[in-house]
Amino acid sequence: MRDAVIVDAVRTPIGKGRPKGALHDVHPADLLARSIAALVERTGIDPGIVDDVIAGCVTQLGEQALNIGRTALLAAGFPDSVPATTVDRQCGSSQQAVHFAAHTIIAGGYDVAIACGVESMSRVPMGSDTPDGTDLYGSMFGARYPNGIPNQFVGAELIAAKWGLTREQLDEFALSSHEKAHRATLDGAFGNELVKMDELSVDEGIRAGGTLESMARLQSPFVDEEASRLYPQIEWLLTVGSSSQISDASSALLLMTSQKAKELGLPIRARVHSAAVAGDDPVIRLTALIPATRKVLGNAGLSIDDIGAFEISEAFASVPLAWRAETGADISRVNQWGGAIALGHPVGASGGRLMTTLLNTMEATGSKYGLQAMCEGGGVSNATILELVD
């Protein structure tokens, strides 16, 4: 029976997604090419054997348009014969790229594939593909949701209200994310996953030394009078301190069958054990990772207690806290080296970034199983379980 295994996984350091960020001057195609080229350099594979490159990218506009996966692989020096496609499942785009690659390998369509992702949010800002006045949904969708679909900030506040989360809980979680990421950086935990770059050597957004007192002084920049009228339960508890950061980065994973890995003499780091996608209420937007987690565990025949390491989207602090309340996961196993609140959230690259970090965390902790789940625009989610291979 065919399987899909991960031979290697890399990511660039994550830069601040601002004009003064360390990676702002790197074109997004070049940024993705750095990760793709690093896979070839680290594994020594002939890039000509890659059957397909599947890239995740959310804002496919301007410099990120025209199938950036294909542009990037050619920029990385791959032969003309290697094809590519670019997919958008919002924040889970590069995790979906892994799913597509793994499923096609298992089905016999590929022997070798690269799943990757990129987002240069400083050069191609989030929302630039939806200019003011754009009708995003049409009349039939609008009839079903007459109050419209609020933005993600309102969705995150609705989650905080629904699960009774306090400002202190949200701030404590955010501080913990920065503390874990800072400690992991000092300990060299990310060393095996980072692509060497002259522009940036470590993740740029980590802020150490914060306190609950300093966090409490931050005010919500998301307050919206119309949202408060429609959703009076909202208390506007989230701030920039408890939200993920706009970022620039890329990530890439090399997948193949275990048989192919043995033929090439490559070590197998993990097997893609199970994968699932799920949907949930598009109004609250960010909760589908809860049913996706249940679904992937059911597919795998595992319980939440079987999982030794989790990488859970930190779009906002309310998301993983609500997920944990519903799943009962051991919080000490969640985002053990920090998450997007500290490291950043380069949306098209984040799924691959989380999976790369998950793989390294599993190896460092000796966890047989690891689970990743992402919240994604539109109220959908990817969930994946990896299994270390002895």
Side-chain angles (χ1 to χ4, degrees):
M1 180 177 178
R2 293 173 65 93
D3 59 3
V5 300
I6 298 171
V7 167
D8 208 357
V10 298
R11 67 175 181 91
T12 66
I14 302 172
K16 294 180 179 179
R18 307 292 183 190
K20 293 184 178 179
L23 300 182
H24 172 70
D25 291 336
V26 182
H27 189 286
D30 294 337
L31 189 57
L32 181 53
R34 304 280 189 97
S35 287
I36 294 172
L39 283 179
V40 174
E41 181 180 353
R42 284 168 52 127
T43 61
I45 67 161
D46 173 2
I49 70 169
V50 176
D51 293 305
D52 204 358
V53 173
I54 306 170
C57 184
V58 175
T59 308
Q60 296 181 34
L61 178 81
E63 293 178 345
Q64 294 182 165
L66 296 177
N67 189 5
I68 193 171
R70 172 69 172 170
T71 307
L73 75 85
L74 294 174
F78 277 47
D80 296 348
S81 58
V82 179
T85 190
T86 303
V87 300
D88 172 13
R89 200 190 283 273
Q90 296 292 282
C91 298
S93 295
S94 48
Q95 186 177 1
Q96 182 62 56
V98 173
H99 284 200
F100 282 152
H103 291 159
T104 308
I105 288 169
I106 292 167
Y110 307 147
D111 288 324
V112 180
I114 289 175
C116 56
V118 67
E119 207 79 32
S120 179
M121 300 177 80
S122 68
R123 296 174 69 101
V124 187
M126 183 170 58
S128 57
D129 56 344
T130 55
D132 289 344
T134 302
D135 180 0
L136 295 175
Y137 300 112
S139 60
M140 295 174 69
F141 186 98
R144 180 171 179 175
Y145 300 99
N147 289 329
I149 301 297
N151 62 45
Q152 60 182 330
F153 311 114
V154 174
E157 290 286 352
L158 288 169
I159 292 170
K162 182 174 179 177
W163 275 271
L165 301 171
T166 67
R167 171 67 185 266
E168 185 173 5
Q169 287 175 308
L170 297 168
D171 287 351
E172 283 180 341
F173 184 89
L175 284 173
S176 174
S177 183
H178 282 281
E179 290 165 2
K180 289 186 289 187
H182 178 61
R183 185 172 63 249
T185 300
L186 292 179
D187 292 344
F190 296 121
N192 190 45
E193 63 192 60
L194 289 176
V195 174
K196 289 181 172 59
M197 302 183 69
D198 293 336
E199 297 88 350
L200 185 63
S201 60
V202 295
D203 301 307
E204 191 177 19
I206 302 169
R207 299 184 296 274
T211 65
L212 280 175
E213 290 72 24
S214 64
M215 291 286 283
R217 290 193 289 270
L218 297 174
Q219 300 297 311
S220 173
F222 311 130
V223 176
D224 182 305
E225 291 183 5
E226 177 62 14
S228 292
R229 183 187 68 80
L230 288 172
Y231 310 106
Q233 68 269 40
I234 289 178
E235 297 182 55
W236 302 109
L237 302 177
L238 290 152
T239 69
V240 293
S242 51
S243 307
S244 58
Q245 301 178 45
I246 293 171
S247 307
D248 301 339
S250 70
S251 58
L253 300 94
L254 179 60
L255 294 92
M256 58 186 67
T257 63
S258 57
Q259 179 180 350
K260 191 67 175 180
K262 291 172 184 175
E263 288 176 8
L264 297 173
L266 294 171
I268 297 170
R269 297 184 63 186
R271 178 169 71 99
V272 180
H273 185 285
S274 300
V277 291
D280 206 2
D281 183 356
V283 174
I284 203 167
R285 294 180 71 105
L286 306 172
T287 55
L289 73 177
I290 295 168
T293 296
R294 293 176 178 144
K295 189 174 181 180
V296 78
L297 286 170
N299 291 349
L302 298 171
S303 75
I304 198 76
D305 294 330
D306 291 321
I307 308 300
F310 298 93
E311 283 292 326
I312 303 300
S313 175
E314 284 184 9
F316 301 89
S318 55
V319 173
L321 288 173
W323 171 89
R324 191 261 177 179
E326 290 298 312
T327 64
D330 182 345
I331 197 66
S332 70
R333 301 179 184 180
V334 176
N335 301 355
Q336 295 174 59
W337 297 348
I341 290 172
L343 296 168
H345 187 14
V347 287
S350 285
R353 197 288 297 171
L354 266 70
M355 194 164 293
T356 299
T357 302
L358 176 62
L359 178 58
N360 284 284
T361 304
M362 291 168 65
E363 291 172 340
T365 59
S367 300
K368 183 174 179 61
Y369 298 109
L371 186 152
Q372 172 184 338
M374 300 281 290
C375 59
E376 301 155 5
V380 294
S381 174
N382 287 71
T384 316
I385 292 175
L386 302 183
E387 178 186 12
L388 290 185
V389 177
D390 296 330

